[in-house]
Amino acid sequence: MKSFELYEPASVREAVGILTKFGPRAKVLAGGSDLVAGVMKDWVEGEGMPLPDALVDLTTIPQLRGIKVDKNGATIGAMTTLTEIIESKELNERFPLLTRAAHSVASQLIRNYGTLGGNINQRPRCWFLRGRDFNCLKKGGDFCFSVGGDNRYHAIIGGDRCYIVHPSDTATALLALNAQAKIAGPSGERLALFDKYFVTPGEDILRENILKPDELLVEVLIPTPAPDTKQAWMKLKNRQVYDFAVVSVAAAFTVENDIWKDGRIVLGGVAPIPYRAVVVENQLKGKNIKNSMKQAAAVIRTVARPMSMNAYKVDVAQSMVERTILGALE
Ligand SMILES: Cc1cc2nc3c(=O)[nH]c(=O)nc-3n(C[C@H](O)[C@H](O)[C@H](O)COP(=O)(O)OP(=O)(O)OC[C@H]3O[C@@H](n4cnc5c(N)ncnc54)[C@H](O)[C@@H]3O)c2cc1C
Ligand code: SF4
């Protein structure tokens, strides 16, 4: 593994100062399960994806850790571990969608030290990207190996020169809960809805989110859902043991007299960013859910553009959207 300088700031301001000094050659370090044990150990690098010279350890900043729940919603520090989220009674009562999604991440061991901020900002898992021998477009090369190669787990929606799928289960759930990110940088803090947080390859193939090199995610803010909001999470994995989503679905919606009032359906594992299925939501608006969910779920087919080996994911996505809505109603 490449050597690096380790910085241990005591505050967010100090962390931002170090990031500002080093620019793109520095990265923030949370639990390290992806950055150190994956990207750096496996030399996942290229001209557009240099390995860092400096790591800014966030475990030394106590203010980044913790969960607060009040009448306005929840605030979760970026360094809160996935296990802390899963074990929070208040989050379980108010945001079961998030706690279930967090529980479906990786293994108990990884959840014990993997953080919310790290889960949201982890790099994609495309096996060509992770392979040292493939200098693909996302690393700054000039070729996408998934187009002619094994693309069975790649994107079926929204691929554009690069066909990664967003790997984060919690990000999918947070989008369905209409959450926001609090970001710290040299000019202070800013808020961004997760709707606008993730970046598609078409927008910038070298990035996955809006964070600049001198910024970090500080907190996640989840608004209190409307009364009686139904929430459900479903994830299909290729292996029964821990694994990334082949397809996942997060649903949060309100119903009145069996009629869909408002809500969100978000899919993970299908697109380079968590995919909000507005096309499905539009089909449900103002309609009897049980009577219209089958037809609404089928609309996912109109936006899907599968690759040579992953058309099966379109069928899976359609069926899982329907089953997740049904699960939320039950
Ligand atoms: C075997 C295995 C199976 C897995 N399965 C799943 C799965 O099923 N579902 C799933 O969602 N994930 C899965 N993961 C990913 C795992 O959940 C992530 O590795 C973990 O959540 C990342 O957390 P971390 O704190 O260790 O992050 P790190 O590895 O420290 O960081 C990951 C990335 O996020 C950046 N980062 C971290 N914190 C911040 C911050 N506050 N602001 C800005 N950037 C930040 C880092 O710079 C780095 O690029 C799996 C990982 C492994 C190794
Ligand atoms: S899908 Fe993206 S990350 Fe994977 S090989 Fe193609 S360009 Fe690289």
Coordinates of all heavy atoms in Angstrom, one line a residue, residues 203-292:
E203 N -22.5 14.2 -15.8 CA -22.1 15.5 -15.3 C -20.6 15.6 -15.1 O -20.0 16.6 -15.4 CB -22.9 15.8 -14.0 CG -24.4 16.0 -14.2 CD -25.2 15.8 -12.9 OE1 -24.9 15.0 -12.0 OE2 -26.2 16.6 -12.8
D204 N -20.1 14.6 -14.5 CA -18.6 14.6 -14.2 C -18.2 13.1 -14.0 O -18.5 12.6 -12.9 CB -18.2 15.5 -13.0 CG -16.7 15.6 -12.9 OD1 -16.0 14.8 -13.4 OD2 -16.3 16.5 -12.2
I205 N -17.5 12.5 -14.9 CA -17.2 11.1 -14.8 C -16.2 10.8 -13.7 O -16.2 9.6 -13.2 CB -16.7 10.6 -16.2 CG1 -16.9 9.0 -16.3 CG2 -15.3 10.9 -16.4 CD1 -16.9 8.5 -17.7
L206 N -15.5 11.8 -13.2 CA -14.5 11.5 -12.2 C -15.0 11.6 -10.8 O -14.3 11.4 -9.8 CB -13.3 12.5 -12.4 CG -12.6 12.4 -13.7 CD1 -11.4 13.4 -13.8 CD2 -12.0 11.0 -14.0
R207 N -16.3 12.1 -10.6 CA -16.8 12.3 -9.3 C -18.1 11.5 -9.1 O -18.8 11.2 -10.0 CB -17.1 13.8 -9.1 CG -15.9 14.7 -9.2 CD -16.3 16.1 -9.3 NE -16.9 16.7 -8.1 CZ -17.5 17.9 -8.1 NH1 -17.5 18.7 -9.1 NH2 -18.0 18.3 -6.9
E208 N -18.4 11.4 -7.8 CA -19.8 10.8 -7.5 C -20.6 11.7 -6.7 O -21.8 11.4 -6.4 CB -19.6 9.4 -6.7 CG -19.0 8.3 -7.6 CD -17.5 8.2 -7.4 OE1 -17.1 8.2 -6.2 OE2 -16.8 8.0 -8.4
N209 N -20.1 12.8 -6.2 CA -20.9 13.7 -5.3 C -20.4 15.1 -5.5 O -19.4 15.4 -6.1 CB -20.9 13.2 -3.9 CG -19.5 13.2 -3.3 OD1 -18.8 14.1 -3.4 ND2 -19.2 12.0 -2.7
I210 N -21.1 16.0 -4.9 CA -20.8 17.5 -5.1 C -19.7 18.0 -4.2 O -19.3 19.1 -4.3 CB -22.1 18.3 -4.8 CG1 -22.6 18.1 -3.4 CG2 -23.2 18.0 -5.9 CD1 -23.7 19.1 -3.0
L211 N -19.2 17.1 -3.3 CA -18.1 17.6 -2.4 C -16.9 18.0 -3.1 O -16.4 17.3 -4.0 CB -17.7 16.5 -1.4 CG -18.8 16.0 -0.4 CD1 -18.2 14.9 0.5 CD2 -19.3 17.2 0.5
K212 N -16.4 19.2 -2.8 CA -15.1 19.7 -3.4 C -14.0 19.1 -2.6 O -14.2 18.6 -1.4 CB -15.1 21.2 -3.3 CG -16.2 21.8 -4.1 CD -16.0 23.4 -4.2 CE -17.3 24.0 -4.7 NZ -18.0 24.9 -3.8
P213 N -12.8 19.1 -3.1 CA -11.6 18.4 -2.4 C -11.4 19.0 -1.0 O -10.9 18.3 -0.1 CB -10.4 18.7 -3.3 CG -11.0 19.0 -4.6 CD -12.3 19.6 -4.4
D214 N -11.8 20.3 -0.7 CA -11.6 20.9 0.6 C -12.9 20.9 1.5 O -13.0 21.6 2.4 CB -11.1 22.3 0.5 CG -12.0 23.2 -0.4 OD1 -13.1 22.7 -0.8 OD2 -11.6 24.3 -0.8
E215 N -13.9 20.0 1.1 CA -15.1 19.9 1.9 C -15.3 18.5 2.5 O -14.8 17.5 1.9 CB -16.3 20.2 1.0 CG -16.4 21.7 0.5 CD -17.6 21.9 -0.3 OE1 -18.0 21.1 -1.1 OE2 -18.2 23.0 -0.1
L216 N -16.1 18.5 3.5 CA -16.5 17.2 4.1 C -17.9 17.2 4.5 O -18.5 18.3 4.8 CB -15.5 16.8 5.2 CG -15.5 17.7 6.5 CD1 -16.2 17.0 7.6 CD2 -14.0 17.9 6.8
L217 N -18.5 16.0 4.6 CA -19.9 15.9 5.1 C -19.8 15.9 6.6 O -19.0 15.1 7.2 CB -20.4 14.5 4.6 CG -21.8 14.2 5.1 CD1 -22.9 15.1 4.5 CD2 -22.2 12.7 4.7
V218 N -20.6 16.7 7.2 CA -20.6 16.9 8.7 C -21.8 16.2 9.3 O -21.6 15.5 10.3 CB -20.7 18.4 9.0 CG1 -20.7 18.6 10.5 CG2 -19.5 19.1 8.5
E219 N -22.9 16.4 8.8 CA -24.1 15.8 9.4 C -25.2 15.4 8.3 O -25.1 16.0 7.2 CB -24.8 16.9 10.3 CG -24.4 17.0 11.7 CD -25.0 18.2 12.4 OE1 -25.9 18.9 11.8 OE2 -24.6 18.4 13.5
V220 N -26.1 14.6 8.7 CA -27.2 14.3 7.9 C -28.5 14.7 8.6 O -28.6 14.4 9.8 CB -27.3 12.7 7.6 CG1 -28.6 12.3 6.9 CG2 -26.1 12.4 6.6
L221 N -29.3 15.4 8.0 CA -30.6 15.9 8.6 C -31.8 15.3 7.9 O -31.9 15.4 6.7 CB -30.7 17.5 8.4 CG -29.4 18.3 8.8 CD1 -29.5 19.7 8.3 CD2 -29.2 18.3 10.3
I222 N -32.6 14.6 8.7 CA -33.8 14.0 8.1 C -35.0 14.7 8.7 O -35.2 14.7 10.0 CB -33.9 12.5 8.5 CG1 -32.5 11.8 8.3 CG2 -34.9 11.8 7.6 CD1 -32.4 10.4 8.8
P223 N -35.9 15.2 7.9 CA -37.1 15.9 8.4 C -38.1 14.9 9.0 O -38.1 13.7 8.5 CB -37.6 16.6 7.2 CG -37.1 15.9 6.0 CD -35.8 15.3 6.4
T224 N -38.9 15.3 9.9 CA -39.9 14.4 10.4 C -40.9 14.1 9.3 O -41.4 15.1 8.7 CB -40.6 15.1 11.6 OG1 -39.7 15.2 12.7 CG2 -41.9 14.3 12.1
P225 N -41.2 12.9 9.0 CA -42.1 12.6 8.0 C -43.5 13.0 8.3 O -43.8 13.2 9.5 CB -42.0 11.1 7.8 CG -40.9 10.6 8.7 CD -40.6 11.7 9.7
A226 N -44.4 13.2 7.3 CA -45.8 13.5 7.6 C -46.4 12.4 8.4 O -45.9 11.3 8.4 CB -46.5 13.6 6.3
P227 N -47.4 12.8 9.3 CA -48.0 11.7 10.1 C -48.4 10.5 9.3 O -48.9 10.6 8.2 CB -49.2 12.4 10.7 CG -48.9 13.9 10.6 CD -48.1 14.1 9.4
D228 N -48.3 9.3 9.9 CA -48.7 8.1 9.2 C -47.9 7.7 7.9 O -48.5 7.0 7.1 CB -50.2 8.0 9.0 CG -50.9 8.1 10.3 OD1 -50.5 7.6 11.3 OD2 -52.0 8.8 10.3
T229 N -46.7 8.3 7.8 CA -46.0 7.9 6.6 C -45.6 6.4 6.6 O -45.1 5.9 7.7 CB -44.7 8.8 6.5 OG1 -45.1 10.1 6.3 CG2 -43.8 8.3 5.3
K230 N -45.8 5.8 5.6 CA -45.5 4.3 5.5 C -44.0 4.3 4.9 O -43.7 5.0 4.0 CB -46.4 3.6 4.5 CG -47.9 4.0 4.8 CD -48.7 2.7 4.9 CE -50.1 3.0 5.3 NZ -50.4 3.0 6.7
Q231 N -43.2 3.4 5.6 CA -41.8 3.3 5.1 C -41.5 1.8 4.9 O -41.9 1.0 5.7 CB -40.9 3.8 6.2 CG -41.1 5.3 6.6 CD -40.2 5.8 7.7 OE1 -39.0 5.3 7.8 NE2 -40.7 6.7 8.5
A232 N -40.7 1.5 3.9 CA -40.3 0.1 3.7 C -39.0 0.1 2.9 O -38.6 1.0 2.1 CB -41.3 -0.6 2.9
W233 N -38.2 -1.0 3.2 CA -36.9 -1.2 2.6 C -36.8 -2.6 2.1 O -37.2 -3.5 2.8 CB -35.8 -0.9 3.6 CG -34.4 -1.4 3.2 CD1 -33.7 -2.5 3.6 CD2 -33.6 -0.7 2.2 NE1 -32.5 -2.5 3.0 CE2 -32.4 -1.5 2.2 CE3 -33.7 0.4 1.4 CZ2 -31.3 -1.1 1.3 CZ3 -32.6 0.8 0.6 CH2 -31.5 0.0 0.5
M234 N -36.3 -2.8 0.9 CA -36.1 -4.2 0.4 C -34.8 -4.2 -0.4 O -34.5 -3.3 -1.2 CB -37.3 -4.5 -0.5 CG -37.3 -6.0 -0.9 SD -38.8 -6.4 -1.8 CE -39.9 -6.8 -0.4
K235 N -34.1 -5.3 -0.2 CA -32.8 -5.4 -0.9 C -32.6 -6.8 -1.4 O -32.7 -7.7 -0.6 CB -31.7 -5.0 0.1 CG -30.2 -5.2 -0.4 CD -29.2 -4.7 0.6 CE -27.8 -5.1 0.2 NZ -26.8 -4.6 1.1
L236 N -32.2 -6.9 -2.7 CA -31.9 -8.2 -3.2 C -30.4 -8.3 -3.4 O -29.8 -7.4 -4.0 CB -32.6 -8.4 -4.6 CG -32.3 -9.8 -5.2 CD1 -33.2 -10.9 -4.6 CD2 -32.4 -9.8 -6.7
K237 N -29.8 -9.4 -2.8 CA -28.4 -9.6 -3.0 C -28.2 -10.8 -3.8 O -29.0 -11.7 -3.8 CB -27.7 -9.8 -1.6 CG -27.9 -8.6 -0.7 CD -27.4 -8.9 0.7 CE -28.2 -9.8 1.5 NZ -27.8 -10.1 2.9
N238 N -27.0 -10.9 -4.4 CA -26.7 -12.1 -5.1 C -26.4 -13.3 -4.2 O -26.6 -14.5 -4.5 CB -25.5 -11.8 -6.0 CG -25.2 -12.9 -7.0 OD1 -26.2 -13.5 -7.5 ND2 -24.0 -13.2 -7.3
R239 N -25.8 -13.0 -3.0 CA -25.4 -14.0 -2.1 C -26.2 -13.8 -0.8 O -26.5 -12.7 -0.4 CB -23.9 -13.9 -1.8 CG -23.0 -14.0 -3.0 CD -21.6 -13.9 -2.6 NE -21.3 -12.7 -1.8 CZ -20.2 -12.5 -1.0 NH1 -19.3 -13.5 -1.0 NH2 -20.0 -11.4 -0.4
Q240 N -26.5 -14.9 -0.1 CA -27.2 -14.8 1.1 C -26.4 -14.1 2.2 O -26.9 -13.4 3.1 CB -27.7 -16.1 1.6 CG -29.0 -16.6 0.9 CD -30.1 -15.5 0.8 OE1 -30.5 -15.0 1.8 NE2 -30.5 -15.2 -0.4
V241 N -25.1 -14.3 2.2 CA -24.2 -13.6 3.2 C -24.2 -12.1 2.7 O -24.8 -11.7 1.8 CB -22.8 -14.2 3.2 CG1 -22.8 -15.5 3.8 CG2 -22.2 -14.2 1.8
Y242 N -23.4 -11.3 3.5 CA -23.4 -9.9 3.2 C -23.0 -9.6 1.7 O -22.0 -10.3 1.2 CB -22.6 -9.1 4.2 CG -21.1 -9.5 4.3 CD1 -20.2 -8.9 3.5 CD2 -20.7 -10.4 5.2 CE1 -18.9 -9.3 3.6 CE2 -19.4 -10.8 5.4 CZ -18.5 -10.2 4.5 OH -17.2 -10.5 4.6
D243 N -23.6 -8.7 1.1 CA -23.3 -8.3 -0.3 C -23.9 -7.0 -0.6 O -24.9 -6.5 0.0 CB -23.8 -9.4 -1.2 CG -23.1 -9.5 -2.5 OD1 -22.2 -8.6 -2.8 OD2 -23.3 -10.5 -3.3
F244 N -23.5 -6.4 -1.7 CA -24.1 -5.1 -2.2 C -25.4 -5.5 -2.9 O -25.6 -6.6 -3.2 CB -23.1 -4.5 -3.2 CG -21.9 -3.9 -2.5 CD1 -20.8 -4.7 -2.3 CD2 -21.9 -2.6 -2.0 CE1 -19.6 -4.1 -1.7 CE2 -20.8 -2.1 -1.3 CZ -19.7 -2.9 -1.2
A245 N -26.2 -4.4 -3.0 CA -27.5 -4.7 -3.6 C -27.4 -4.9 -5.1 O -26.7 -4.2 -5.9 CB -28.4 -3.4 -3.4
V246 N -28.1 -6.0 -5.6 CA -28.3 -6.1 -7.0 C -29.4 -5.1 -7.4 O -29.2 -4.3 -8.3 CB -28.9 -7.5 -7.4 CG1 -29.3 -7.6 -8.8 CG2 -27.8 -8.6 -7.1
V247 N -30.4 -5.0 -6.6 CA -31.4 -4.0 -6.7 C -31.9 -3.8 -5.2 O -32.1 -4.7 -4.5 CB -32.6 -4.4 -7.5 CG1 -33.7 -3.2 -7.5 CG2 -32.2 -4.7 -9.0
S248 N -32.1 -2.5 -4.8 CA -32.8 -2.2 -3.6 C -33.9 -1.2 -3.8 O -33.8 -0.4 -4.8 CB -31.8 -1.7 -2.5 OG -31.3 -0.5 -3.0
V249 N -34.9 -1.2 -2.9 CA -35.9 -0.2 -3.1 C -36.2 0.4 -1.7 O -36.4 -0.3 -0.7 CB -37.2 -0.8 -3.7 CG1 -38.3 0.3 -3.9 CG2 -37.0 -1.5 -5.0
A250 N -36.3 1.7 -1.6 CA -36.7 2.4 -0.4 C -38.0 3.2 -0.8 O -38.0 3.9 -1.8 CB -35.6 3.4 0.0
A251 N -39.0 3.0 0.1 CA -40.3 3.7 -0.2 C -40.7 4.4 1.1 O -40.6 3.9 2.2 CB -41.3 2.7 -0.6
A252 N -41.2 5.7 0.9 CA -41.8 6.4 2.1 C -42.9 7.2 1.5 O -42.7 8.1 0.6 CB -40.7 7.4 2.7
F253 N -44.1 6.9 1.9 CA -45.3 7.6 1.3 C -46.5 7.7 2.3 O -46.6 7.0 3.2 CB -45.7 6.9 0.0 CG -46.0 5.5 0.1 CD1 -47.3 5.1 0.4 CD2 -45.0 4.5 -0.1 CE1 -47.6 3.7 0.5 CE2 -45.3 3.2 0.1 CZ -46.6 2.8 0.3
T254 N -47.4 8.6 1.9 CA -48.6 8.8 2.7 C -49.8 8.3 1.9 O -49.8 8.5 0.7 CB -48.8 10.2 3.2 OG1 -48.6 11.1 2.1 CG2 -47.8 10.6 4.3
V255 N -50.8 7.8 2.6 CA -52.0 7.3 2.0 C -53.2 7.8 2.7 O -53.2 7.9 3.9 CB -52.0 5.7 2.1 CG1 -53.1 5.1 1.4 CG2 -50.7 5.1 1.7
E256 N -54.2 8.1 1.9 CA -55.5 8.5 2.6 C -56.6 7.7 1.9 O -56.8 7.8 0.7 CB -55.7 10.0 2.4 CG -56.7 10.5 3.5 CD -56.7 12.0 3.4 OE1 -57.5 12.6 2.6 OE2 -55.9 12.7 4.1
N257 N -57.4 6.9 2.7 CA -58.4 6.1 2.1 C -57.9 5.3 0.9 O -58.6 5.3 -0.2 CB -59.6 6.9 1.7 CG -60.2 7.7 2.8 OD1 -60.2 7.2 4.0 ND2 -60.7 8.9 2.6
D258 N -56.8 4.6 1.1 CA -56.2 3.8 0.1 C -55.6 4.5 -1.1 O -55.2 3.9 -2.1 CB -57.2 2.7 -0.4 CG -57.5 1.7 0.7 OD1 -56.7 1.6 1.6 OD2 -58.7 1.2 0.7
I259 N -55.7 5.9 -1.1 CA -55.2 6.7 -2.2 C -53.8 7.2 -1.9 O -53.6 7.7 -0.8 CB -56.2 7.9 -2.5 CG1 -57.6 7.5 -2.7 CG2 -55.7 8.7 -3.7 CD1 -57.9 6.7 -3.9
W260 N -52.9 7.1 -2.9 CA -51.5 7.6 -2.7 C -51.6 9.1 -2.7 O -52.1 9.7 -3.6 CB -50.7 7.1 -3.9 CG -49.3 7.8 -4.0 CD1 -49.0 9.1 -4.4 CD2 -48.0 7.2 -3.7 NE1 -47.7 9.3 -4.4 CE2 -47.0 8.2 -4.0 CE3 -47.6 5.9 -3.3 CZ2 -45.7 7.9 -3.8 CZ3 -46.3 5.7 -3.1 CH2 -45.3 6.7 -3.4
K261 N -51.1 9.7 -1.5 CA -51.1 11.1 -1.4 C -49.8 11.7 -1.9 O -49.8 12.5 -2.8 CB -51.4 11.6 0.0 CG -52.8 11.8 0.4 CD -53.0 12.1 1.8 CE -52.6 13.6 2.1 NZ -52.7 13.9 3.6
D262 N -48.8 11.3 -1.3 CA -47.5 11.9 -1.6 C -46.4 10.9 -1.2 O -46.6 10.1 -0.3 CB -47.3 13.2 -0.8 CG -46.2 14.0 -1.4 OD1 -45.7 13.8 -2.5 OD2 -45.7 15.0 -0.7
G263 N -45.2 11.0 -1.8 CA -44.1 10.1 -1.3 C -43.0 9.9 -2.3 O -43.0 10.5 -3.4
R264 N -42.1 9.1 -1.9 CA -40.9 8.8 -2.8 C -40.6 7.3 -2.9 O -40.7 6.6 -1.9 CB -39.7 9.5 -2.1 CG -39.7 11.0 -2.2 CD -38.6 11.6 -1.4 NE -38.6 13.0 -1.7 CZ -37.5 13.7 -2.1 NH1 -36.3 13.1 -2.2 NH2 -37.5 15.0 -2.4
I265 N -40.2 7.0 -4.1 CA -39.7 5.6 -4.3 C -38.3 5.7 -4.9 O -38.1 6.4 -5.9 CB -40.6 4.8 -5.2 CG1 -42.0 4.6 -4.5 CG2 -40.0 3.5 -5.6 CD1 -43.0 4.0 -5.3
V266 N -37.3 5.2 -4.2 CA -35.9 5.3 -4.7 C -35.3 3.9 -4.8 O -35.5 3.1 -4.0 CB -35.1 6.2 -3.7 CG1 -33.7 6.3 -4.1 CG2 -35.8 7.5 -3.4
L267 N -34.6 3.7 -5.9 CA -33.9 2.5 -6.2 C -32.4 2.6 -6.1 O -31.8 3.5 -6.5 CB -34.3 2.0 -7.6 CG -35.7 1.3 -7.8 CD1 -36.7 2.4 -7.9 CD2 -35.7 0.5 -9.0
G268 N -31.8 1.6 -5.4 CA -30.4 1.5 -5.4 C -29.9 0.3 -6.2 O -30.7 -0.6 -6.6
G269 N -28.7 0.3 -6.7 CA -28.1 -0.8 -7.4 C -28.5 -0.8 -8.9 O -28.1 -1.7 -9.6
V270 N -29.2 0.3 -9.4 CA -29.6 0.3 -10.8 C -29.0 1.4 -11.6 O -29.0 1.4 -12.8 CB -31.2 0.4 -10.9 CG1 -31.9 -0.8 -10.2 CG2 -31.8 1.7 -10.3
A271 N -28.5 2.4 -10.9 CA -28.1 3.6 -11.6 C -26.8 4.2 -10.9 O -26.5 3.8 -9.8 CB -29.2 4.7 -11.6
P272 N -26.1 5.1 -11.6 CA -24.8 5.6 -11.0 C -25.1 6.4 -9.7 O -24.2 6.7 -9.0 CB -24.3 6.5 -12.1 CG -24.8 5.9 -13.4 CD -26.2 5.4 -13.0
I273 N -26.3 6.9 -9.6 CA -26.7 7.6 -8.3 C -28.0 6.9 -7.8 O -28.7 6.3 -8.6 CB -26.9 9.1 -8.5 CG1 -28.1 9.4 -9.5 CG2 -25.6 9.8 -9.1 CD1 -28.4 10.8 -9.7
P274 N -28.3 7.1 -6.5 CA -29.6 6.5 -6.1 C -30.7 7.1 -7.0 O -30.7 8.3 -7.2 CB -29.7 7.0 -4.6 CG -28.3 7.2 -4.2 CD -27.5 7.7 -5.4
Y275 N -31.5 6.2 -7.5 CA -32.4 6.7 -8.6 C -33.8 6.9 -8.0 O -34.5 5.9 -7.5 CB -32.5 5.6 -9.7 CG -33.5 5.9 -10.7 CD1 -33.4 7.0 -11.6 CD2 -34.7 5.2 -10.8 CE1 -34.4 7.3 -12.5 CE2 -35.7 5.5 -11.7 CZ -35.5 6.5 -12.6 OH -36.5 6.8 -13.5
R276 N -34.3 8.1 -8.0 CA -35.7 8.4 -7.5 C -36.6 8.1 -8.7 O -36.5 8.8 -9.8 CB -35.8 9.9 -7.1 CG -37.2 10.1 -6.6 CD -37.4 11.5 -5.9 NE -38.8 11.6 -5.6 CZ -39.4 12.8 -5.3 NH1 -38.7 13.9 -5.3 NH2 -40.7 12.8 -5.1
A277 N -37.5 7.2 -8.5 CA -38.4 6.7 -9.6 C -39.7 7.6 -9.6 O -40.8 7.2 -9.4 CB -38.8 5.3 -9.4
V278 N -39.4 8.9 -10.1 CA -40.5 9.8 -10.2 C -41.6 9.3 -11.2 O -42.8 9.5 -11.0 CB -40.0 11.2 -10.7 CG1 -41.1 12.2 -10.9 CG2 -39.0 11.7 -9.6
V279 N -41.1 8.5 -12.2 CA -42.0 8.0 -13.2 C -43.0 7.1 -12.5 O -44.2 7.0 -12.9 CB -41.3 7.2 -14.3 CG1 -40.6 8.2 -15.3 CG2 -40.3 6.2 -13.8
V280 N -42.6 6.3 -11.5 CA -43.5 5.4 -10.8 C -44.4 6.3 -9.9 O -45.6 6.0 -9.8 CB -42.7 4.4 -10.0 CG1 -43.7 3.5 -9.2 CG2 -41.9 3.5 -10.9
E281 N -43.8 7.2 -9.1 CA -44.6 8.0 -8.2 C -45.7 8.7 -9.0 O -46.9 8.8 -8.5 CB -43.7 9.1 -7.6 CG -42.6 8.5 -6.7 CD -41.5 9.6 -6.3 OE1 -41.8 10.8 -6.5 OE2 -40.5 9.1 -5.8
N282 N -45.4 9.2 -10.2 CA -46.4 10.0 -11.0 C -47.6 9.1 -11.3 O -48.8 9.5 -11.4 CB -45.8 10.5 -12.2 CG -45.0 11.7 -11.9 OD1 -45.1 12.3 -10.8 ND2 -44.1 12.1 -12.8
Q283 N -47.3 7.8 -11.5 CA -48.4 6.8 -11.9 C -49.3 6.5 -10.7 O -50.4 6.0 -10.9 CB -47.8 5.5 -12.4 CG -47.1 5.6 -13.7 CD -48.0 5.9 -14.8 OE1 -49.1 5.3 -14.9 NE2 -47.6 6.9 -15.6
L284 N -48.8 6.8 -9.5 CA -49.6 6.5 -8.3 C -50.4 7.6 -7.7 O -51.3 7.5 -7.0 CB -48.6 5.9 -7.2 CG -48.0 4.6 -7.5 CD1 -46.8 4.4 -6.6 CD2 -49.0 3.5 -7.2
K285 N -49.9 8.8 -8.1 CA -50.5 10.1 -7.5 C -52.0 10.1 -7.6 O -52.6 9.9 -8.7 CB -49.9 11.3 -8.2 CG -49.2 12.2 -7.2 CD -48.4 13.3 -7.9 CE -47.0 13.3 -7.3 NZ -46.1 14.0 -8.1
G286 N -52.7 10.2 -6.5 CA -54.2 10.4 -6.5 C -54.9 9.1 -6.9 O -56.1 9.1 -7.1
K287 N -54.2 8.0 -6.9 CA -54.9 6.7 -7.3 C -54.9 5.7 -6.2 O -54.1 5.8 -5.2 CB -54.2 6.1 -8.5 CG -54.2 6.9 -9.8 CD -53.7 6.1 -10.9 CE -53.6 7.0 -12.2 NZ -52.4 6.7 -12.9
N288 N -55.9 4.8 -6.3 CA -55.9 3.7 -5.3 C -54.6 2.9 -5.5 O -54.4 2.3 -6.6 CB -57.2 2.8 -5.6 CG -57.3 1.7 -4.6 OD1 -56.4 0.8 -4.6 ND2 -58.3 1.7 -3.8
I289 N -53.9 2.8 -4.4 CA -52.5 2.2 -4.5 C -52.6 0.7 -4.9 O -51.9 0.3 -5.9 CB -51.8 2.3 -3.2 CG1 -51.6 3.7 -2.8 CG2 -50.4 1.6 -3.3 CD1 -50.6 3.9 -1.7
K290 N -53.4 0.0 -4.2 CA -53.4 -1.5 -4.5 C -53.9 -1.8 -6.0 O -53.4 -2.7 -6.6 CB -54.4 -2.2 -3.5 CG -53.7 -2.4 -2.2 CD -54.3 -3.4 -1.3 CE -53.5 -3.6 0.0 NZ -54.2 -4.1 1.1
N291 N -54.8 -1.0 -6.5 CA -55.3 -1.2 -7.8 C -54.3 -0.8 -8.9 O -54.3 -1.3 -10.0 CB -56.6 -0.4 -8.1 CG -57.7 -1.0 -7.2 OD1 -57.6 -2.1 -6.7 ND2 -58.8 -0.2 -7.1
S292 N -53.4 0.2 -8.5 CA -52.6 0.8 -9.6 C -51.1 0.4 -9.4 O -50.3 0.8 -10.3 CB -52.7 2.3 -9.7 OG -52.6 2.8 -8.4

